[in-house]
Amino acid sequence: MIHSLSSPPLGKAAVKVAAALAGVLLATAACGGGSSGGGDASGTAGLKGKTVTFVGYGKDNPWGASFNGVFVPKLESQGVKVVDLTTMDPGTAVTNFNQAISNKPDLIVAALLDTSSTVVPIKKAKQAGIPVLVFDGRPDPSVDGDVMQVLSDSEALGTAAAQNLVEGLKAQGRTSGSIIAITGTKSGFAAQDRMKGFDAELAKTPEYKVVDIQDGNWDPTLSGKIATQLFAKYGCSGIQGAYGMADYQALPIVAAAKQAGCPVGGKNGLIVTGSNCFKAGIDAIKGGTLYGTATEDPGTIAEQTADYVIRYFNQQNPPAKELVKEERVTAKNVAQFAEQCSKA
Amino acid sequence: MNVMSARPRSAAPIRRPGLVVDGVLLLAVLAAIVLALTTDRFLTVANAKAILTSASLVGIAALGLTLITIGGSAVSLAISPSVAAVGMIFLSAQSLGLIAALVLAVLCGTLITGLQGAVVGYAAANPVVLTIAASFAITGIATGVSGGSTVSPTAGGYDRLNATPGGVALSVYVLIGLALIVEWTLRRTGFGRSLYLIGENRRAARAAGLPVGRMTAVAWLGAGALFAVTAAFTAAFNTSANVNLGGTLTFDAIAAVLAGGTPISGGRGSALRTLAGAVLIAAASDILLLRGYSTGVQIMVKGVIVLVVVVTVHLRTRGSRA
């Protein structure tokens, strides 16, 4: 009885609150629609007062944290207002992208955690006349022409990894060899493009063959487990080279090889390469357990992306697509890249 | 006479579900054995070592979760962030020496999870809701303190955790040793017996004068220590640690506990069952990998195993209570 008596007033109150809220939202939307907002897609010259909504990787990702730490301060120092809508959750990223469109900034800068689910938001941004700059990974081909891009050269990263392996195996005097690859999320363009470059480069030396490719999902622990099982499957004599798509995947491969009793590095040991560098990878190259890696460090791409934004706002007409130059790193040149690769 | 004649009729429906479940289970086990025996390279010493190594890190965390589950607190959803945070502490403390870093890691792990256990035990907080909140808080603090960057070891002592005495990973010995200790604690100590009672019926345990809050908190403290051991081994294996170090460990540990047959409702189960669950899942993944199936298929099969065991346990429990 108490419940039935008290619930109607609560229900009415809730309806009133909901109605008031809806009214406020409608009014806000109407006002927003009437105002000029920003969103000047033509890009008036100068950076002061420009607004960038940043739908990048979240700070809980080391690569993202390092990128954001370079990108945001560089733009803010030029007078650009950066609205932070970063996240590592693909679903939230789509919501944030839609939120960014409704904010009507001068530019949306986005990292695409899920390329398919961001197709619609990119199209919406285009309809709303808001320019979008995508960094790191490429967008879905259906919206490739609708966005500006500053991309990591994933194919070059794969090529560098293959070159590291071939160089290391040849240096050991091996005339043939079996290679395993533990990739990032296979369905993502980054992993696909890296494997494209890797396979193409390795095809030049058919004596070195990839015997197993497994999806490590950019997860170091999973990569270590897979490596442990692969060393059991093929034995130490069955694997001469290994590619972990990121240094944090390559290092668990090294640990798994050691635990399986397989020698690593040196004159006869397993040759392991990463392909986007981290401090622990640089230390491992210096220690001789990791043969090599390649750059794709967050600082370099953050600098180039911020520079692109500055050129765009200054109406210097940057090209629609820019690739970041990636470098191969081995013991020979590790000192040169040690600092650049030690920020994430 | 009527009563006597009615007995067989009433007993029949009780036994049938149990028989069916047992039959299905037997067939599944036979099928798995056939699959394993017909998989090339499955029956090798190297592969057995690989399965145990794969099971060890998840298994140690799952032992901790077993304490939580048996005590009636269902599950902790904050295992991965706890392991990540403790792994970062462990590697950053390497300059103090391996033992000091281990002690610090276990202390921090015990504190992080023990605090959650105290709230669950004394304030009767919902463990699922609480640990969701805790996982956000732990990740937030770890990200804030580390600035989101990856922690690299400050000295090389950690590598001793990657040792392979007798050709088997050290983490395997630790898993087996800890499983025996947890099993003994559950079966042979007053704490263990109380934990089963609390998990079976919290209200009755309280009425019987058992210190429910304290026992629950102690179970979570123990779990925290075991999560910390997992963290140290995982960080040492990966040579670096960040907030993503735990990966899918929360769900892997839950899967191992459930696959071992410990019911989510608590009051029953054992550490050795959890050990078996962890090895079962690792063996299933191994068979699939040896047969060339993708990671996606391996994850799907893990889910199917957990589902089958949970349904089996449920049907058997219902059958025995009917």
Side-chain angles (χ1 to χ4, degrees), chain B residues 171-194:
Chain B
S171 55
V172 174
Y173 295 102
V174 172
L175 169 67
I176 294 168
L178 288 172
L180 292 173
I181 291 170
V182 174
E183 184 70 11
W184 180 84
T185 306
L186 286 169
R187 300 282 169 198
R188 303 284 175 188
T189 66
F191 163 73
R193 285 189 285 267
S194 302

Side-chain angles (χ1 to χ4, degrees), chain A:
Chain A
M1 279 302 285
I2 293 169
H3 283 291
S4 63
L5 279 172
S6 59
S7 55
L10 268 177
K12 279 180 188 172
V15 169
K16 281 178 187 172
V17 170
L21 195 61
V24 170
L25 287 172
L26 281 170
T28 310
C31 291
S35 69
S36 58
D40 181 5
S42 62
T44 315
L47 294 151
K48 285 250 160 106
K50 295 291 185 191
T51 303
V52 167
T53 302
F54 180 40
V55 194
Y57 299 128
K59 205 183 169 188
D60 52 334
N61 175 278
W63 198 95
S66 184
F67 181 100
N68 303 355
V70 174
F71 177 74
V72 176
K74 183 161 184 179
L75 286 185
E76 285 180 340
S77 69
Q78 301 281 322
V80 177
K81 186 188 172 196
V82 181
V83 178
D84 188 336
L85 292 180
T86 56
T87 178
M88 279 311 290
D89 177 60
T92 309
V94 173
T95 309
N96 288 356
F97 204 123
N98 288 324
Q99 176 67 42
I101 295 167
S102 62
N103 288 352
K104 298 191 172 176
D106 296 295
L107 177 69
I108 294 173
V109 177
L112 307 182
L113 286 164
D114 181 349
T115 46
S116 331
S117 61
T118 38
V119 167
V120 173
I122 286 173
K123 284 179 176 170
K124 272 199 226 168
K126 189 186 177 189
Q127 282 167 2
I130 301 166
V132 176
L133 169 62
V134 168
F135 69 92
D136 188 25
R138 65 184 166 96
D140 188 274
S142 65
V143 288
D144 188 65
D146 297 337
V147 294
M148 298 174 281
Q149 300 169 40
V150 177
L151 305 178
S152 299
D153 192 345
S154 291
E155 282 192 44
L157 292 166
T159 304
Q163 286 169 344
N164 284 344
L165 287 175
V166 170
E167 186 180 279
L169 291 168
K170 279 187 174 170
Q172 287 180 332
R174 293 187 192 274
T175 51
S176 64
S178 300
I179 292 166
I180 58 165
I182 299 180
T183 70
T185 309
K186 252 183 181 174
S187 57
F189 288 138
Q192 288 169 15
D193 292 347
R194 285 187 200 196
M195 281 313 292
K196 197 174 162 189
F198 183 78
D199 288 339
E201 183 64 23
L202 215 55
K204 295 176 188 169
T205 48
E207 61 271 30
Y208 304 116
K209 283 188 168 48
V210 177
V211 292
D212 215 317
I213 303 172
Q214 291 289 329
D215 186 351
N217 202 28
W218 302 117
D219 180 340
T221 308
L222 176 63
S223 302
K225 270 188 207 171
I226 292 170
T228 299
Q229 290 169 336
L230 290 177
F231 285 114
K233 181 178 178 180
Y234 295 102
C236 295
S237 59
I239 303 172
Q240 283 72 47
Y243 174 27
M245 206 162 261
D247 281 7
Y248 58 78
Q249 290 179 286
L251 294 176
I253 295 176
V254 170
K258 284 181 178 175
Q259 285 195 337
C262 309
V264 178
K267 288 180 182 172
N268 297 306
L270 179 79
I271 299 295
V272 184
T273 182
S275 75
N276 52 328
C277 59
F278 280 81
K279 184 178 184 303
I282 294 297
D283 292 343
I285 292 173
K286 288 176 180 171
T289 52
L290 192 65
Y291 184 84
T293 183
T295 48
E296 215 236 1
D297 60 291
T300 303
I301 188 169
E303 285 280 355
Q304 190 164 330
T305 309
D307 184 56
Y308 188 102
V309 173
I310 291 165
R311 281 181 282 142
Y312 170 76
F313 282 138
N314 283 333
Q315 295 189 320
Q316 289 173 297
N317 298 321
K321 193 183 291 187
E322 281 187 3
L323 285 180
V324 177
K325 189 172 185 292
E326 309 295 359
E327 304 281 357
R328 187 159 76 91
V329 183
T330 63
K332 286 175 194 163
N333 62 356
V334 67
Q336 188 188 333
F337 292 98
E339 199 195 330
Q340 182 181 332
C341 290
S342 297
K343 289 173 183 165

Side-chain angles (χ1 to χ4, degrees), chain B residues 57 133 173 257 270 319:
Chain B
L57 299 182
Y173 295 102
V257 171
S270 79

